[in-house]
């Protein structure tokens, strides 16, 4: 039999019809994408999201937050408001000796809180004594030492030959710095603290007890703080250098316009229009903590928990801890 390739025993001139030219097979269009491959049916790759969710719900995750500021700015109340539970250090009446510590003392308390089956091991580190002395020179040193100690603890576990399957993570993922509501410029103490700490941890500045300022004073104070941070090249969270794609950059730009957040903390409920709301009761009414028209606490909560919690952990591990790890390993390799 003759084939299209011309393998017949008959001479070609005996054929009355022209030889058929083989047609090129049509290649199905390839869907553009990183894999360069088009799926012809459902595979089930998206199920990995369910697997990750189930695993996270079983094992839980860790989140460590530090609050820094002078006494009386409502740090403990703000943390309790964030997580809607008593997670800060006990508010017992201190003695006269304990009321004003002579040096900065760091106190950490850990809780396991659960919501809709998701467990979170939350560690809150308070810094009583910070900025309370007449001479506050180098009062940030114990805080820097504590943060580096947590990096060192993680590094020692990581470089072991036989490592744990899950290394306990005590590294500080976010540091909320409480700025006193003076209405003026940032103090030298505030600038020096944020300049030093922003290099080793994610610093989120907030204006404490913002209900003591009028709306005009609040807007002007916020603008002055933004100018101070820009003038002194202080990069607070979210840092512009770590925006990975245009969507992240657009979202973070909107957040950066609002920083520092003017917040009000409250751990008591009040009746407003037939509803129980968290707020502070004054002679003029109730300041609702979760009302965006009253304060910017919802923005802070969304940043720390609802939208950027995983990003805080990622930057802590990939940027701040990584720079510490490289520095320490270089030091140990020097002759």
């Amino acid at each position: 039999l003759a084939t299209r390739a011309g393998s017949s025993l008959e001479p070609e001139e005996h054929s009355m019809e022209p030889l058929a030219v083989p047609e090129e097979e049509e290649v199905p269009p390839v869907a553009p994408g990183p894999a360069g491959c088009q799926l012809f049916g459902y595979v089930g790759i998206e199920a990995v999201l369910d697997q990750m969710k189930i695993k996270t719900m079983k094992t839980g995750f860790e989140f460590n937050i530090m609050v820094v500021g002078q006494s009386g700015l409502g740090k403990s109340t703000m943390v309790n408001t964030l997580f809607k539970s008593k997670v800060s250090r006990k508010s017992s009446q201190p003695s006269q000796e304990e009321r004003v510590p002579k040096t900065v003392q760091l106190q950490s308390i850990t809780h396991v809180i659960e919501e809709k089956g998701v467990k979170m091991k939350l560690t809150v580190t308070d810094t009583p004594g910070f900025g309370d002395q007449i001479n506050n020179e180098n009062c940030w040193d114990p805080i820097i030492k504590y943060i580096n100690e947590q990096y060192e603890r993680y590094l020692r576990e990581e470089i072991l030959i036989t490592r744990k399957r899950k290394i306990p993570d005590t590294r500080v993922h976010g540091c909320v710095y409480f700025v006193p509501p003076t209405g003026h410029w940032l103090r030298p103490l505030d600038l020096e603290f944020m300049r030093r700490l922003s290099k080793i941890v994610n610093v989120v500045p907030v204006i404490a007890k913002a209900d003591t300022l009028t709306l005009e004073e609040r807007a002007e104070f916020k603008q002055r703080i933004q100018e101070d941070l820009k003038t002194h090249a202080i990069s607070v969270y979210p840092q512009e250098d770590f925006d990975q794609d245009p969507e992240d950059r657009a979202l973070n730009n909107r957040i950066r316009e609002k920083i520092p957040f003017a917040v009000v903390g409250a751990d008591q409920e009040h009746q407003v229009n037939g509803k129980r709301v968290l707020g502070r009761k004054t002679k003029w009414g109730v300041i609702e903590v979760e009302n965006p028209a009253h304060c910017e606490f919802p923005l802070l909560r969304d940043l720390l928990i609802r939208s950027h919690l995983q990003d805080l952990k990622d930057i802590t591990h990939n940027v701040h801890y990584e720079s510490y790890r490289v520095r320490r390993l270089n030091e140990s390799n020097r002759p």
Side-chain angles (χ1 to χ4, degrees):
L1 295 176
T3 61
R4 283 188 176 183
S7 61
S8 174
L9 298 177
E10 298 290 335
E12 292 184 6
E13 55 266 18
H14 288 181
S15 178
M16 300 300 294
E17 296 180 1
L19 190 64
V21 179
E23 297 180 358
E24 295 182 358
E25 296 182 359
E26 294 183 359
V27 180
V30 178
C37 181
Q38 184 182 23
L39 302 180
F40 297 103
Y42 178 74
V43 177
I45 299 175
E46 64 176 4
V48 70
L49 297 177
D50 296 331
Q51 298 173 32
M52 295 171 63
K53 180 179 178 181
I54 293 172
K55 186 175 181 180
T56 303
M57 291 180 69
K58 287 182 178 179
T59 61
F61 60 97
E62 298 155 321
F63 184 60
N64 308 316
I65 188 172
M66 174 183 284
V67 289
V68 182
Q70 288 181 337
S71 301
L73 292 181
K75 300 187 296 297
S76 300
T77 303
M78 178 58 61
V79 173
N80 291 337
T81 309
L82 273 173
F83 298 98
K84 293 187 176 180
S85 57
K86 303 291 185 180
V87 294
S88 66
R89 57 192 176 93
K90 295 181 180 180
S91 57
S92 58
Q93 292 294 331
S95 62
Q96 184 64 32
E97 292 77 12
E98 298 175 343
R99 193 164 297 172
V100 182
K102 295 182 179 180
T103 58
V104 179
Q105 301 173 359
L106 281 82
Q107 301 175 353
S108 296
I109 186 168
T110 301
H111 296 271
V112 177
I113 57 180
E114 183 175 350
E115 184 181 33
K116 294 184 178 179
V118 180
K119 296 180 181 179
M120 180 172 70
K121 184 180 179 182
L122 173 68
T123 300
V124 180
T125 303
D126 200 354
T127 56
F130 177 84
D132 293 340
Q133 311 301 321
I134 297 176
N135 181 11
N136 291 302
E137 186 178 3
N138 298 330
C139 62
W140 46 77
D141 284 349
I143 299 174
I144 295 177
K145 181 182 178 183
Y146 175 83
I147 294 174
N148 287 331
E149 282 176 352
Q150 309 317 307
Y151 290 152
E152 182 69 22
R153 180 180 299 181
Y154 193 91
L155 177 62
R156 289 179 180 177
E157 291 286 344
E158 194 177 45
I159 63 179
L160 291 175
I161 296 177
T162 305
R163 296 188 299 183
K164 299 178 181 177
R165 293 186 60 183
K166 189 176 187 301
I167 300 176
D169 190 4
T170 59
R171 299 169 297 182
V172 178
H173 301 127
C175 174
V176 181
Y177 184 72
F178 287 71
V179 179
T182 61
H184 303 293
W185 300 90
L186 286 175
R187 304 168 302 170
L189 174 63
D190 305 326
L191 291 171
E192 190 63 22
F193 174 86
M194 285 190 280
R195 185 184 69 82
R196 291 173 180 264
L197 268 292
S198 61
K199 298 176 182 178
I200 62 173
V201 73
N202 299 313
V203 178
V204 181
V206 298
I207 301 175
K209 294 192 173 182
D211 53 331
T212 61
L213 301 172
T214 65
L215 295 180
E216 293 78 10
E217 291 172 341
R218 182 190 303 179
E220 187 176 357
F221 188 34
K222 180 178 295 191
Q223 184 177 1
R224 288 177 176 177
I225 292 177
Q226 292 175 351
E227 292 176 2
D228 269 343
L229 295 176
K230 187 175 181 180
T231 301
H232 294 82
I234 298 173
S235 180
V236 297
Y237 184 83
Q239 302 92 333
E240 293 185 17
D241 298 339
F242 306 146
D243 293 340
Q244 297 182 353
D245 55 60
E247 292 184 0
D248 290 344
R249 187 174 297 108
L251 172 62
N252 291 339
N253 282 338
R254 292 194 296 268
I255 295 174
R256 282 187 280 264
E257 292 175 357
K258 298 287 187 179
I259 284 181
F261 299 124
V263 298
V264 178
D267 50 10
Q268 294 183 356
E269 289 186 342
H270 300 278
Q271 194 84 13
V272 177
N273 297 328
K275 296 181 179 180
R276 303 289 296 180
V277 297
L278 284 172
R280 293 172 56 87
K281 190 173 183 180
T282 67
K283 293 190 295 184
W284 303 274
V286 176
I287 301 172
E288 300 176 31
V289 169
E290 297 181 331
N291 188 343
H294 292 187
C295 75
E296 293 176 338
F297 168 80
L299 300 178
L300 175 65
R301 179 190 56 200
D302 292 348
L303 176 70
L304 293 178
I305 302 175
R306 299 186 179 181
S307 64
H308 284 66
L309 187 148
Q310 187 59 46
D311 188 62
L312 284 163
K313 299 183 65 174
D314 291 342
I315 291 181
T316 298
H317 181 76
N318 298 325
V319 178
H320 298 304
Y321 169 70
E322 188 67 18
S323 62
Y324 178 85
R325 187 185 70 87
V326 170
R327 186 174 71 251
R328 286 285 290 112
L329 294 181
N330 284 334
E331 292 174 355
S332 61
N333 290 333
R334 288 173 186 169

